[in-house]
Amino acid sequence: LVQLQESGGGSVQAGGSLKLSCRTSESTYCMAWYRQASGRQPEGVAAAYKGGGDTTYANSLKGRVTISYRDKENTLDLQISSLEPEDTAMYYCAADCWQCQSIYSASCEVWGQGIQVTVSS
């Protein structure tokens, strides 16, 4: 079973940037980031195929988020810029995903424990 280790969360002021990383115990074909704010439904943020394949982003975040898959390190990165208080959420890394042509259709088998991102105004 693939194991995930997330890092990079924390507190940041609005307008700042943050990079989240997720290291996996083994390579997976597609990985993704999701988030869940308090009192809200989980939402997909972005997904990426290994080997420099296609990426997909949530429309609401497009332009502020970059996802990248570092194949040699089995690590998925998520760079978020121009952070807003509305970005405050628990962010989850997911692996063994399929239907990754769109973050809205992606489904994932393995989930990380989540990492908190808090954006203050």
Side-chain angles (χ1 to χ4, degrees), residues 39-51:
R40 299 188 66 177
Q41 293 291 322
E43 64 172 335
V45 175
Y49 288 101
K50 66 176 293 185

Side-chain angles (χ1 to χ4, degrees), residues 73-95:
E73 293 88 0
N74 285 343
T75 297
L76 183 74
D77 296 320
L78 184 73
Q79 182 79 37
I80 314 172
S81 61
S82 302
L83 282 158
E84 304 166 354
E86 291 73 24
D87 293 317
T88 295
M90 188 72 80
Y91 285 71
Y92 295 91
C93 175

